[in-house]
Amino acid sequence: VHRLRSVDNLFVVVQEFKDYQFKENKEDALKDLEDLVKNLPWTDPLKVWELNNSLKKKKTKRKKPNLQSTASKEKLNEDGEEEGEDQKDASKEEDCAQNAAGAEPAGSQGSEKTEGVASRSGGEEEEEEDNEQLDAKEELQAGSGRETKAGDGKTSEGEAKVLKFRVTCNRAGDKHSFTSNEAARDFGGAVQEHFQWKADMTNFDVEVLLNIHNNEVVVGIALTEESLHRRNITHFGPTTLRSTLAYGMLRLCDPQPTDIIVDPMCGTGAIPIEGATEWPSCYHIAGDNNPQAVKRAANNICSLLKKNESKESSSSLGIPLDIIQWDICNLPLRTGSVDIIVTDMPFGKRIGSKKKNWDLYPACLTEMGRICTPGTGRAVLLTQDKKCFAKALSRMGHIWRKAQTVWVNVGGLHAAVYLLKRT
Ligand SMILES: C[S@@+](CC[C@H](N)C(=O)[O-])C[C@H]1O[C@@H](n2cnc3c(N)ncnc32)[C@H](O)[C@@H]1O
C-alpha cells in the first residue's frame, strides 16, 4: 500500500463510528471520548502498525534524522508556499490538534490555536483539510536499532521500552461543543492511562488519529510519517498541486507508451514530474508563462535527478521531460502533434482572476484543440472556476467533447477535473 500513488496518508482503522452521538455539553462529550479509549479494539490495529514498522525497516536503510525543522516547514505553510493548492475556504469549520496527556495546549475554541505543541497551528487550520504531520518520526523507527513491540512494550533484547505516542485530532463540522485541542488532550490522556505510554509530541513511536467529521468518528493509527503527496517537489509555489492528485489526473487519460503529454500551465511542475516518473515511456513537455514558475519546475527536476543519482536507479540517466517558458495562447508546437494534455488551470484566485479567465479559458481550449491529435487526443483539465469553464466549453463542441467529470476537493475548495476527448 505504500506504493499507491494516489494516496496521501495511510492509517489503520481501530474503529469507525458512522453516526456517533456527541453529547451537547462539552464536558460530557469529552468524557465520552475519554471513556471510548478502553473499549476500542486496539490489538489487531497495533499488530498492523508493528508489521508496517518491520517492513519499513527491511525496505529502507536507516535514515538520518530529518534535519529540516518543523518550524521551518511551518514557515513555508504560513507563506502559502507549500500547501497543495492555493484555494482555501475560510467558512469551513475544521481544525486539527495534536495532544496527549501532559501537553496542555494554549488557545480557546474560538481561536483553535495549538501553540506549544508540535503542529501546524492557528487559524490556518480552520481553513485546511489536510492535517498531516511533518515530524521526524523515522528517527525513532529506524534510528534506535531496537525492535519495538506495541503489544508487550519490549525491545528485541528483552528490555522494557515505554512507547512514545501522540494523538492527532482532525475535526470538521460546526456542531461540536469542543475543539480539536480539547478532544486530542482528553483522548490522549486516556490513551496514556490505558497503555502506560509516554506522551511525546515530536519524537513519537505511535501516532493515534482521532478523525471527527460531523457525526462520523474514526480512530486510527498512522502508518505514514510524512504525507505521500510531497514526494516529487522541493521547490514549492503558491499553487503547487499534490503529486497524488497529479497522478490521478494523468491516470484518467490512460497514457500509452510513446504518447506525447503536455502540461501547458505547469507551474512548479507537479503534473509533468509525476508523469515522467510514473510514465517514463511517454514524452512529457511542460511550460508556463511565468519565468519564476519555470525556474521552480526546473529546480524540482534537478532535485529529482540528484535524488535518483544517489539511488543509482535506472532513472538516474535523466527523465523524459522538457520545461519551456511559453504562453498557452500561442504554443510552439505543431498542429495535431500532441496525444494528451493534462493541466491545472488558474482558478482565478491566487493566479490570474475570474475576470481574466473569461478570455483565458476559451483561448486555452482553442489552442489546446489545435495541438491535440483529432480523433484520439484527450485532455484532463482541473479548475475550480466551473462556470467559466462550462461556458467556454459550450462554445467548443466542434473541438472538444466532455467524456467525464470528477469532483475533487482542492485545499477545501470544490473543484472539477474534466476529461475531454478531441473530436
Ligand atoms: C494553478 S497554476 C498551476 C500549478 C501547477 N500545477 C503546480 O503544480 O505548480 C496555473 C499556472 O498557469 C500559469 N499561467 C497562467 N496564464 C498562463 C498563460 N497564458 N500561459 C502559460 N501559463 C499560464 C500560471 O503562471 C500558473 O503557474
Side-chain angles (χ1 to χ4, degrees), residues 296-328:
R296 282 186 179 134
N299 281 333
N300 281 323
I301 296 175
C302 288
S303 305
L304 200 69
L305 288 174
K306 267 200 201 119
K307 204 166 92 183
N308 289 345
E309 252 171 48
S310 61
K311 273 201 268 174
E312 291 166 23
S313 68
S314 56
S315 51
S316 63
L317 296 171
I319 53 170
L321 167 59
D322 285 328
I323 303 273
I324 306 144
Q325 188 181 336
W326 65 26
D327 181 354
I328 186 162

Side-chain angles (χ1 to χ4, degrees), residues 141-179:
Q141 293 177 334
S144 76
R146 294 188 300 179
E147 290 281 337
T148 322
K149 290 206 173 195
D152 56 13
K154 291 205 176 123
T155 66
S156 55
E157 292 103 46
E159 61 196 85
K161 188 205 175 212
V162 177
L163 281 183
K164 293 184 205 155
F165 83 104
R166 82 170 178 193
V167 170
T168 297
C169 174
N170 299 300
R171 184 188 66 81
D174 51 12
K175 300 227 160 50
H176 306 125
S177 57
F178 52 87
T179 64

Side-chain angles (χ1 to χ4, degrees), residues 369-384:
R370 182 187 69 76
I371 61 165
C372 220
T373 320
T376 54
R378 50 231 187 260
V380 169
L381 311 175
L382 167 69
T383 182
Q384 191 252 338

Side-chain angles (χ1 to χ4, degrees), residues 173-300:
D174 51 12
K175 300 227 160 50
H176 306 125
S177 57
F178 52 87
T179 64
S180 60
N181 284 338
E182 291 161 339
R185 180 196 60 203
D186 291 8
F187 193 82
V191 170
Q192 184 179 43
E193 211 171 288
H194 185 67
F195 289 106
Q196 297 297 304
W197 291 341
K198 191 170 174 289
D200 193 321
M201 306 312 296
T202 46
N203 287 327
F204 47 86
D205 304 286
V206 189
E207 180 174 32
V208 178
L209 304 169
L210 175 62
N211 293 337
I212 303 173
H213 188 243
N214 295 322
N215 271 356
E216 201 179 287
V217 175
V218 180
V219 179
I221 300 172
L223 301 180
T224 38
E225 291 139 13
E226 188 183 56
S227 200
L228 302 174
H229 73 74
R230 294 164 200 274
R231 56 181 169 259
N232 299 328
I233 307 295
T234 44
H235 295 75
F236 289 85
T239 58
T240 298
L241 195 71
R242 289 163 176 254
S243 298
T244 40
L245 184 47
Y247 175 83
M249 288 171 67
L250 284 151
R251 229 189 110 169
L252 198 60
C253 50
D254 192 22
Q256 299 300 314
T258 75
D259 273 352
I260 306 284
I261 306 182
V262 172
D263 179 353
M265 294 186 278
C266 70
T268 48
I271 295 172
I273 293 175
E274 181 68 16
T277 312
E278 292 303 316
W279 286 271
S281 49
C282 296
Y283 204 85
H284 303 261
I285 307 171
D288 201 285
N289 68 345
N290 179 344
Q292 205 184 354
V294 177
K295 206 166 150 191
R296 282 186 179 134
N299 281 333
N300 281 323

Side-chain angles (χ1 to χ4, degrees), residues 22-34:
F22 287 106
K23 301 247 170 73
E24 267 178 41
N25 175 289
K26 181 160 97 177
E27 276 68 40
D28 294 344
L30 290 171
K31 179 76 176 51
D32 280 356
L33 283 178
E34 230 180 286

